[in-house]
Amino acid sequence: MNMSVPVDQPLVLLSKSNPVFCCYLFWSSLLIIKMLLMSLLTARQRIKTKTFANPEDLRMGRTPEVRFNDANVERMRRAHRNDLENVLPFLLMSLAYVASNPHPLTAKMLIRIGASARLLHTIVYACIPLPQPTRALSFFITFGIVIFEAFYVLICAIKYI
Amino acid sequence: MNMSVPVDQPLVLLSKSNPVFCCYLFWSSLLIIKMLLMSLLTARQRIKTKTFANPEDLRMGRTPEVRFNDANVERMRRAHRNDLENVLPFLLMSLAYVASNPHPLTAKMLIRIGASARLLHTIVYACIPLPQPTRALSFFITFGIVIFEAFYVLICAIKYI
Amino acid sequence: MNMSVPVDQPLVLLSKSNPVFCCYLFWSSLLIIKMLLMSLLTARQRIKTKTFANPEDLRMGRTPEVRFNDANVERMRRAHRNDLENVLPFLLMSLAYVASNPHPLTAKMLIRIGASARLLHTIVYACIPLPQPTRALSFFITFGIVIFEAFYVLICAIKYI
């Protein structure tokens, strides 16, 4: 008797045995590190321009009063908020997409391109402000990928509406 | 020898073989598309009212200076932020809830109602501002569902505290 | 013939049979409840200080006009936004970390400490403003844990780049 006869076991898509999920793990970790670094970039601008929003932070910066609306701080905050609006949906949507058993190569390319475009977006928004449409372009690459993934999953799961 | 003797295989809840998870996939995709569309609605208001927050965007809008605090743009931004505060927790919480093996019919109804209420919330906040309590009501439906799901999961997993 | 011969079945990490995942379920539910409560704390401040941002909300508060920039409301909004920037990445990153099959005891401790630090952060930010560096400390505990988890997953999944 040979127990190595393959028992028909469904592939668990959200597990380390699925290379597409591993690719997702890699790029989502990178994006999350990038997102967290935005907090540090904002803090650096706050200290440099002495713009503190909370009374209890003033002593640390040796400043007499709270301040808002510094242009450099606000730029970082807009870039960070743009991440919340786009990176988090990208991470959640790509997870759902991987769970829908897409074509492995397509899925891996979409995850890589979508994540790289967001890295580029941060560079041209928060680090070296470049003339448009650089930022708009990097924004719409990830935007388009999330929309594509969403429609793929919608069609896959339409009968469970 | 008959290999079709059933091997006791645990149901993988976060997989396409679970109809509740498929229902989650469908509605979460729909909500993510809706969330991304908020960016376009904000951009449309920015272009219409010539309210650009970044100096490098001015050339695209042919405007001389950056502007903030336009009432229409700010309404879209509040609606979008409300989505971040509520849709993303709804998506993460529902995923945890599906993984806790809830009653299938209850779970599917909660996901459908919670997602539909958020679609309604966007319509009455960002598209056709309706008198209160329409917005408050649609807000609290999803709010209540997330709280219910959270307590369900808390009780399920209490011994792993 | 003995069918109880163990068939080599991979442990499904994102399932209730994994105690680390159960621990994640518990603490993520707690954090999501906490995040949702921020909306109620903001609403309470809005009603107390009669600071409503939408014209359609004025009738509920019996106030003649929209108002912005109330210090108490803004503090709640900053605390809430800080949650979006840190709790949501913590939840997504910890999920990816659990799926990477970390050492169970380490993983459970990181989840417990990271989640508890965020609960503390909210208390000292939104409830009882304490002098720094209390808030900074609780912020950086979770921050450091997310970075650690991210690098763990990056290294695990590096060959799927």
Side-chain angles (χ1 to χ4, degrees):
Chain A
M1 193 191 116
N2 181 6
M3 279 307 289
S4 73
V5 170
V7 178
D8 187 28
Q9 204 166 31
L11 176 66
V12 181
L13 290 165
L14 300 184
S15 79
K16 283 174 82 179
S17 54
N18 178 8
V20 181
F21 184 64
C22 290
C23 181
Y24 169 80
L25 287 180
F26 180 85
W27 288 98
S28 63
S29 304
L30 212 61
L31 280 181
I32 285 175
I33 292 173
K34 189 209 72 59
M35 271 189 72
L36 288 199
L37 291 185
M38 299 304 295
S39 295
L40 300 188
L41 288 178
T42 308
R44 201 184 60 149
Q45 291 293 344
R46 281 197 186 283
I47 291 165
K48 213 199 273 181
T49 62
K50 293 187 178 295
T51 310
F52 297 98
N54 296 298
E56 69 267 31
D57 302 350
L58 296 176
R59 211 169 46 118
M60 294 206 313
R62 291 200 187 82
T63 37
E65 57 188 0
V66 293
R67 234 160 58 79
F68 301 95
N69 297 325
D70 177 83
N72 296 301
V73 173
E74 289 306 310
R75 171 177 283 273
M76 291 303 154
R77 280 167 59 84
R78 284 198 300 277
H80 200 167
R81 180 168 161 163
N82 199 292
D83 272 359
L84 297 177
E85 293 171 357
N86 292 283
V87 173
L88 297 175
F90 174 71
L91 295 180
L92 283 166
M93 194 63 242
S94 297
L95 188 68
Y97 177 62
V98 172
S100 302
N101 201 13
H103 186 273
L105 201 66
T106 315
K108 284 193 276 186
M109 287 317 294
L110 289 181
I111 290 168
R112 285 165 186 152
I113 296 171
S116 306
R118 285 309 301 186
L119 297 177
L120 180 68
H121 184 270
T122 297
I123 292 170
V124 303
Y125 203 164
C127 306
I128 317 149
L130 285 185
Q132 289 280 27
T134 326
R135 201 183 82 229
L137 221 66
S138 62
F139 174 87
F140 277 112
I141 289 171
T142 314
F143 193 91
I145 287 173
V146 177
I147 297 284
F148 172 84
E149 292 177 346
F151 275 101
Y152 183 94
V153 175
L154 273 185
I155 291 161
C156 273
I158 191 108
K159 68 174 177 162
Y160 299 94
I161 189 168
Chain B
M1 191 190 118
N2 180 6
M3 282 305 292
S4 73
V5 170
V7 177
D8 187 27
Q9 205 166 32
L11 175 66
V12 181
L13 290 165
L14 299 184
S15 79
K16 282 174 84 179
S17 54
N18 178 8
V20 181
F21 184 65
C22 291
C23 180
Y24 169 79
L25 287 180
F26 180 85
W27 288 97
S28 63
S29 305
L30 211 60
L31 279 181
I32 285 176
I33 293 172
K34 189 208 73 61
M35 271 188 72
L36 289 199
L37 291 185
M38 298 304 295
S39 296
L40 300 188
L41 288 179
T42 307
R44 201 183 58 150
Q45 291 292 344
R46 281 197 186 283
I47 291 165
K48 213 200 273 182
T49 62
K50 295 189 178 293
T51 308
F52 297 98
N54 297 298
E56 70 266 31
D57 302 349
L58 295 176
R59 213 171 43 119
M60 293 205 313
R62 290 201 187 81
T63 38
E65 56 188 1
V66 293
R67 234 160 56 80
F68 301 96
N69 299 323
D70 177 84
N72 296 302
V73 173
E74 289 307 309
R75 170 176 283 274
M76 290 304 154
R77 279 167 60 82
R78 284 198 302 276
H80 200 167
R81 180 169 160 162
N82 200 292
D83 272 359
L84 297 178
E85 293 172 355
N86 292 283
V87 173
L88 297 175
F90 174 71
L91 296 180
L92 282 166
M93 194 63 242
S94 298
L95 188 67
Y97 176 62
V98 171
S100 302
N101 201 12
H103 185 274
L105 201 65
T106 315
K108 284 193 276 186
M109 286 317 292
L110 289 181
I111 291 168
R112 285 165 187 154
I113 296 171
S116 306
R118 286 309 302 186
L119 297 178
L120 180 68
H121 184 270
T122 297
I123 293 170
V124 303
Y125 203 162
C127 305
I128 317 150
L130 284 186
Q132 289 280 26
T134 325
R135 202 182 82 230
L137 221 68
S138 63
F139 174 85
F140 278 112
I141 289 171
T142 314
F143 193 92
I145 287 174
V146 177
I147 297 284
F148 172 84
E149 291 177 346
F151 274 102
Y152 183 94
V153 175
L154 273 184
I155 291 163
C156 275
I158 192 107
K159 67 174 180 165
Y160 300 94
I161 189 170
Chain C
M1 191 191 120
N2 180 5
M3 279 308 291
S4 72
V5 170
V7 177
D8 188 28
Q9 205 167 29
L11 175 65
V12 181
L13 290 164
L14 300 184
S15 79
K16 282 175 84 179
S17 53
N18 178 8
V20 181
F21 184 64
C22 290
C23 180
Y24 168 79
L25 287 181
F26 181 85
W27 288 98
S28 63
S29 305
L30 212 60
L31 279 180
I32 285 176
I33 292 173
K34 188 208 75 58
M35 272 188 72
L36 289 200
L37 290 185
M38 298 305 294
S39 296
L40 300 189
L41 287 179
T42 307
R44 200 184 57 149
Q45 292 293 343
R46 281 198 187 283
I47 291 165
K48 215 200 273 183
T49 63
K50 294 188 177 293
T51 310
F52 297 98
N54 297 298
E56 69 267 31
D57 303 349
L58 295 176
R59 212 170 45 118
M60 294 205 311
R62 290 200 189 81
T63 38
E65 57 188 1
V66 294
R67 236 161 53 81
F68 302 95
N69 298 325
D70 177 82
N72 297 301
V73 173
E74 289 307 310
R75 170 176 284 271
M76 291 302 153
R77 279 168 59 84
R78 284 197 301 278
H80 201 167
R81 180 169 161 162
N82 199 292
D83 272 359
L84 297 178
E85 293 172 356
N86 292 282
V87 172
L88 298 175
F90 173 72
L91 296 180
L92 282 165
M93 193 63 241
S94 297
L95 188 68
Y97 177 62
V98 171
S100 302
N101 201 13
H103 185 274
L105 202 65
T106 314
K108 284 192 277 185
M109 286 316 293
L110 289 180
I111 290 168
R112 284 165 188 154
I113 296 171
S116 305
R118 285 310 302 186
L119 297 177
L120 180 67
H121 184 270
T122 296
I123 293 170
V124 304
Y125 203 163
C127 306
I128 317 152
L130 284 186
Q132 288 281 24
T134 325
R135 201 183 81 229
L137 221 68
S138 63
F139 174 86
F140 277 112
I141 290 171
T142 313
F143 193 92
I145 287 173
V146 177
I147 297 284
F148 172 84
E149 291 177 346
F151 275 101
Y152 183 95
V153 175
L154 274 185
I155 292 162
C156 273
I158 192 107
K159 67 173 177 165
Y160 300 94
I161 190 169

PDB file of all heavy atoms in Angstrom, chain A residues 45 49 51 67-78, chain B residues 53-55 66 68:
ATOM      1  N   GLN A  45       9.595  67.191  10.018  1.00  0.00           N
ATOM      2  CA  GLN A  45       9.175  68.527   9.577  1.00  0.00           C
ATOM      3  C   GLN A  45       8.620  69.335  10.748  1.00  0.00           C
ATOM      4  O   GLN A  45       8.832  70.544  10.848  1.00  0.00           O
ATOM      5  CB  GLN A  45       8.120  68.422   8.472  1.00  0.00           C
ATOM      6  CG  GLN A  45       8.646  67.882   7.155  1.00  0.00           C
ATOM      7  CD  GLN A  45       9.638  68.826   6.479  1.00  0.00           C
ATOM      8  OE1 GLN A  45       9.727  69.998   6.814  1.00  0.00           O
ATOM      9  NE2 GLN A  45      10.418  68.299   5.546  1.00  0.00           N
ATOM     10  N   THR A  49      10.357  72.827  11.734  1.00  0.00           N
ATOM     11  CA  THR A  49       9.616  74.085  11.625  1.00  0.00           C
ATOM     12  C   THR A  49       8.947  74.477  12.937  1.00  0.00           C
ATOM     13  O   THR A  49       8.207  75.455  12.968  1.00  0.00           O
ATOM     14  CB  THR A  49       8.540  73.977  10.530  1.00  0.00           C
ATOM     15  OG1 THR A  49       7.620  72.936  10.911  1.00  0.00           O
ATOM     16  CG2 THR A  49       9.138  73.596   9.185  1.00  0.00           C
ATOM     17  N   THR A  51       6.437  73.183  14.532  1.00  0.00           N
ATOM     18  CA  THR A  51       4.986  73.200  14.380  1.00  0.00           C
ATOM     19  C   THR A  51       4.392  72.047  15.170  1.00  0.00           C
ATOM     20  O   THR A  51       4.342  70.916  14.678  1.00  0.00           O
ATOM     21  CB  THR A  51       4.605  73.055  12.885  1.00  0.00           C
ATOM     22  OG1 THR A  51       5.345  73.998  12.130  1.00  0.00           O
ATOM     23  CG2 THR A  51       3.117  73.258  12.664  1.00  0.00           C
ATOM     24  N   ARG A  67       1.022  75.366  16.808  1.00  0.00           N
ATOM     25  CA  ARG A  67       0.970  75.993  15.504  1.00  0.00           C
ATOM     26  C   ARG A  67       0.399  75.001  14.497  1.00  0.00           C
ATOM     27  O   ARG A  67       0.590  73.797  14.625  1.00  0.00           O
ATOM     28  CB  ARG A  67       2.399  76.382  15.070  1.00  0.00           C
ATOM     29  CG  ARG A  67       2.550  77.853  14.686  1.00  0.00           C
ATOM     30  CD  ARG A  67       3.971  78.317  14.722  1.00  0.00           C
ATOM     31  NE  ARG A  67       4.887  77.570  13.870  1.00  0.00           N
ATOM     32  CZ  ARG A  67       5.008  77.733  12.538  1.00  0.00           C
ATOM     33  NH1 ARG A  67       4.243  78.580  11.881  1.00  0.00           N
ATOM     34  NH2 ARG A  67       5.902  77.043  11.873  1.00  0.00           N
ATOM     35  N   PHE A  68      -0.320  75.493  13.493  1.00  0.00           N
ATOM     36  CA  PHE A  68      -0.868  74.621  12.473  1.00  0.00           C
ATOM     37  C   PHE A  68      -0.476  75.193  11.113  1.00  0.00           C
ATOM     38  O   PHE A  68       0.123  76.267  11.023  1.00  0.00           O
ATOM     39  CB  PHE A  68      -2.393  74.567  12.592  1.00  0.00           C
ATOM     40  CG  PHE A  68      -2.852  74.070  13.937  1.00  0.00           C
ATOM     41  CD1 PHE A  68      -3.172  74.973  14.946  1.00  0.00           C
ATOM     42  CD2 PHE A  68      -2.917  72.717  14.206  1.00  0.00           C
ATOM     43  CE1 PHE A  68      -3.579  74.517  16.191  1.00  0.00           C
ATOM     44  CE2 PHE A  68      -3.320  72.260  15.459  1.00  0.00           C
ATOM     45  CZ  PHE A  68      -3.641  73.169  16.445  1.00  0.00           C
ATOM     46  N   ASN A  69      -0.848  74.444  10.076  1.00  0.00           N
ATOM     47  CA  ASN A  69      -0.788  74.975   8.716  1.00  0.00           C
ATOM     48  C   ASN A  69       0.600  75.363   8.226  1.00  0.00           C
ATOM     49  O   ASN A  69       0.730  76.251   7.385  1.00  0.00           O
ATOM     50  CB  ASN A  69      -1.730  76.190   8.581  1.00  0.00           C
ATOM     51  CG  ASN A  69      -3.165  75.769   8.820  1.00  0.00           C
ATOM     52  OD1 ASN A  69      -3.548  74.663   8.447  1.00  0.00           O
ATOM     53  ND2 ASN A  69      -3.929  76.610   9.460  1.00  0.00           N
ATOM     54  N   ASP A  70       1.641  74.711   8.736  1.00  0.00           N
ATOM     55  CA  ASP A  70       2.947  74.901   8.103  1.00  0.00           C
ATOM     56  C   ASP A  70       2.945  74.135   6.782  1.00  0.00           C
ATOM     57  O   ASP A  70       2.539  72.965   6.721  1.00  0.00           O
ATOM     58  CB  ASP A  70       4.058  74.373   9.014  1.00  0.00           C
ATOM     59  CG  ASP A  70       5.417  74.486   8.349  1.00  0.00           C
ATOM     60  OD1 ASP A  70       5.998  75.572   8.409  1.00  0.00           O
ATOM     61  OD2 ASP A  70       5.862  73.481   7.749  1.00  0.00           O
ATOM     62  N   ALA A  71       3.427  74.772   5.713  1.00  0.00           N
ATOM     63  CA  ALA A  71       3.314  74.180   4.377  1.00  0.00           C
ATOM     64  C   ALA A  71       4.050  72.844   4.272  1.00  0.00           C
ATOM     65  O   ALA A  71       3.540  71.898   3.659  1.00  0.00           O
ATOM     66  CB  ALA A  71       3.837  75.164   3.328  1.00  0.00           C
ATOM     67  N   ASN A  72       5.240  72.731   4.877  1.00  0.00           N
ATOM     68  CA  ASN A  72       6.010  71.493   4.772  1.00  0.00           C
ATOM     69  C   ASN A  72       5.350  70.350   5.535  1.00  0.00           C
ATOM     70  O   ASN A  72       5.313  69.212   5.063  1.00  0.00           O
ATOM     71  CB  ASN A  72       7.425  71.715   5.302  1.00  0.00           C
ATOM     72  CG  ASN A  72       8.172  72.729   4.459  1.00  0.00           C
ATOM     73  OD1 ASN A  72       8.333  72.530   3.263  1.00  0.00           O
ATOM     74  ND2 ASN A  72       8.593  73.822   5.078  1.00  0.00           N
ATOM     75  N   VAL A  73       4.859  70.676   6.738  1.00  0.00           N
ATOM     76  CA  VAL A  73       4.173  69.649   7.527  1.00  0.00           C
ATOM     77  C   VAL A  73       2.916  69.186   6.799  1.00  0.00           C
ATOM     78  O   VAL A  73       2.646  67.986   6.692  1.00  0.00           O
ATOM     79  CB  VAL A  73       3.819  70.187   8.937  1.00  0.00           C
ATOM     80  CG1 VAL A  73       2.963  69.192   9.692  1.00  0.00           C
ATOM     81  CG2 VAL A  73       5.081  70.525   9.720  1.00  0.00           C
ATOM     82  N   GLU A  74       2.161  70.137   6.252  1.00  0.00           N
ATOM     83  CA  GLU A  74       0.906  69.791   5.594  1.00  0.00           C
ATOM     84  C   GLU A  74       1.138  68.932   4.345  1.00  0.00           C
ATOM     85  O   GLU A  74       0.345  68.055   4.038  1.00  0.00           O
ATOM     86  CB  GLU A  74       0.109  71.059   5.236  1.00  0.00           C
ATOM     87  CG  GLU A  74      -0.482  71.761   6.463  1.00  0.00           C
ATOM     88  CD  GLU A  74      -1.317  70.833   7.330  1.00  0.00           C
ATOM     89  OE1 GLU A  74      -2.194  70.145   6.797  1.00  0.00           O
ATOM     90  OE2 GLU A  74      -1.070  70.774   8.561  1.00  0.00           O
ATOM     91  N   ARG A  75       2.240  69.192   3.638  1.00  0.00           N
ATOM     92  CA  ARG A  75       2.549  68.355   2.467  1.00  0.00           C
ATOM     93  C   ARG A  75       2.760  66.899   2.893  1.00  0.00           C
ATOM     94  O   ARG A  75       2.238  65.977   2.269  1.00  0.00           O
ATOM     95  CB  ARG A  75       3.793  68.882   1.747  1.00  0.00           C
ATOM     96  CG  ARG A  75       4.321  67.953   0.652  1.00  0.00           C
ATOM     97  CD  ARG A  75       5.502  68.545  -0.088  1.00  0.00           C
ATOM     98  NE  ARG A  75       5.068  69.549  -1.048  1.00  0.00           N
ATOM     99  CZ  ARG A  75       4.695  69.291  -2.299  1.00  0.00           C
ATOM    100  NH1 ARG A  75       4.713  68.044  -2.742  1.00  0.00           N
ATOM    101  NH2 ARG A  75       4.317  70.239  -3.113  1.00  0.00           N
ATOM    102  N   MET A  76       3.521  66.689   3.969  1.00  0.00           N
ATOM    103  CA  MET A  76       3.744  65.331   4.468  1.00  0.00           C
ATOM    104  C   MET A  76       2.426  64.681   4.881  1.00  0.00           C
ATOM    105  O   MET A  76       2.183  63.512   4.608  1.00  0.00           O
ATOM    106  CB  MET A  76       4.669  65.369   5.700  1.00  0.00           C
ATOM    107  CG  MET A  76       6.086  65.755   5.404  1.00  0.00           C
ATOM    108  SD  MET A  76       6.820  64.649   4.169  1.00  0.00           S
ATOM    109  CE  MET A  76       8.046  65.750   3.496  1.00  0.00           C
ATOM    110  N   ARG A  77       1.584  65.489   5.551  1.00  0.00           N
ATOM    111  CA  ARG A  77       0.305  64.943   6.003  1.00  0.00           C
ATOM    112  C   ARG A  77      -0.596  64.577   4.828  1.00  0.00           C
ATOM    113  O   ARG A  77      -1.310  63.573   4.879  1.00  0.00           O
ATOM    114  CB  ARG A  77      -0.396  65.948   6.918  1.00  0.00           C
ATOM    115  CG  ARG A  77       0.168  65.927   8.352  1.00  0.00           C
ATOM    116  CD  ARG A  77      -0.300  67.115   9.160  1.00  0.00           C
ATOM    117  NE  ARG A  77      -1.747  67.179   9.251  1.00  0.00           N
ATOM    118  CZ  ARG A  77      -2.481  66.517  10.132  1.00  0.00           C
ATOM    119  NH1 ARG A  77      -1.923  65.716  10.986  1.00  0.00           N
ATOM    120  NH2 ARG A  77      -3.790  66.641  10.154  1.00  0.00           N
ATOM    121  N   ARG A  78      -0.549  65.379   3.766  1.00  0.00           N
ATOM    122  CA  ARG A  78      -1.345  65.024   2.585  1.00  0.00           C
ATOM    123  C   ARG A  78      -0.816  63.744   1.938  1.00  0.00           C
ATOM    124  O   ARG A  78      -1.586  62.881   1.526  1.00  0.00           O
ATOM    125  CB  ARG A  78      -1.313  66.164   1.549  1.00  0.00           C
ATOM    126  CG  ARG A  78      -2.192  67.349   1.897  1.00  0.00           C
ATOM    127  CD  ARG A  78      -2.473  68.222   0.671  1.00  0.00           C
ATOM    128  NE  ARG A  78      -1.262  68.758   0.077  1.00  0.00           N
ATOM    129  CZ  ARG A  78      -0.630  69.855   0.499  1.00  0.00           C
ATOM    130  NH1 ARG A  78      -1.105  70.540   1.522  1.00  0.00           N
ATOM    131  NH2 ARG A  78       0.469  70.270  -0.098  1.00  0.00           N
TER     132      ARG A  78
ATOM    133  N   ALA B  53      -4.052  72.024  -3.732  1.00  0.00           N
ATOM    134  CA  ALA B  53      -3.310  72.138  -2.480  1.00  0.00           C
ATOM    135  C   ALA B  53      -1.797  72.111  -2.695  1.00  0.00           C
ATOM    136  O   ALA B  53      -1.048  72.470  -1.798  1.00  0.00           O
ATOM    137  CB  ALA B  53      -3.729  71.018  -1.533  1.00  0.00           C
ATOM    138  N   ASN B  54      -1.346  71.666  -3.888  1.00  0.00           N
ATOM    139  CA  ASN B  54       0.090  71.560  -4.131  1.00  0.00           C
ATOM    140  C   ASN B  54       0.524  72.518  -5.237  1.00  0.00           C
ATOM    141  O   ASN B  54      -0.123  72.574  -6.282  1.00  0.00           O
ATOM    142  CB  ASN B  54       0.450  70.135  -4.571  1.00  0.00           C
ATOM    143  CG  ASN B  54       0.148  69.126  -3.488  1.00  0.00           C
ATOM    144  OD1 ASN B  54       0.713  69.182  -2.411  1.00  0.00           O
ATOM    145  ND2 ASN B  54      -0.777  68.216  -3.785  1.00  0.00           N
ATOM    146  N   PRO B  55       1.646  73.249  -5.018  1.00  0.00           N
ATOM    147  CA  PRO B  55       2.132  74.185  -6.041  1.00  0.00           C
ATOM    148  C   PRO B  55       2.323  73.515  -7.404  1.00  0.00           C
ATOM    149  O   PRO B  55       2.020  74.124  -8.434  1.00  0.00           O
ATOM    150  CB  PRO B  55       3.476  74.658  -5.481  1.00  0.00           C
ATOM    151  CG  PRO B  55       3.434  74.368  -4.022  1.00  0.00           C
ATOM    152  CD  PRO B  55       2.505  73.220  -3.838  1.00  0.00           C
ATOM    153  N   VAL B  66      -2.106  78.244  -4.639  1.00  0.00           N
ATOM    154  CA  VAL B  66      -2.769  77.144  -3.924  1.00  0.00           C
ATOM    155  C   VAL B  66      -3.918  77.707  -3.099  1.00  0.00           C
ATOM    156  O   VAL B  66      -3.889  78.853  -2.653  1.00  0.00           O
ATOM    157  CB  VAL B  66      -1.779  76.383  -2.998  1.00  0.00           C
ATOM    158  CG1 VAL B  66      -0.739  75.645  -3.822  1.00  0.00           C
ATOM    159  CG2 VAL B  66      -1.129  77.294  -1.989  1.00  0.00           C
ATOM    160  N   PHE B  68      -7.144  76.456  -0.118  1.00  0.00           N
ATOM    161  CA  PHE B  68      -7.653  75.416   0.768  1.00  0.00           C
ATOM    162  C   PHE B  68      -9.069  75.806   1.160  1.00  0.00           C
ATOM    163  O   PHE B  68      -9.560  76.870   0.789  1.00  0.00           O
ATOM    164  CB  PHE B  68      -6.771  75.327   2.026  1.00  0.00           C
ATOM    165  CG  PHE B  68      -5.342  75.015   1.714  1.00  0.00           C
ATOM    166  CD1 PHE B  68      -4.403  76.023   1.600  1.00  0.00           C
ATOM    167  CD2 PHE B  68      -4.938  73.703   1.506  1.00  0.00           C
ATOM    168  CE1 PHE B  68      -3.081  75.744   1.288  1.00  0.00           C
ATOM    169  CE2 PHE B  68      -3.616  73.421   1.196  1.00  0.00           C
ATOM    170  CZ  PHE B  68      -2.685  74.436   1.090  1.00  0.00           C
TER     171      PHE B  68
END
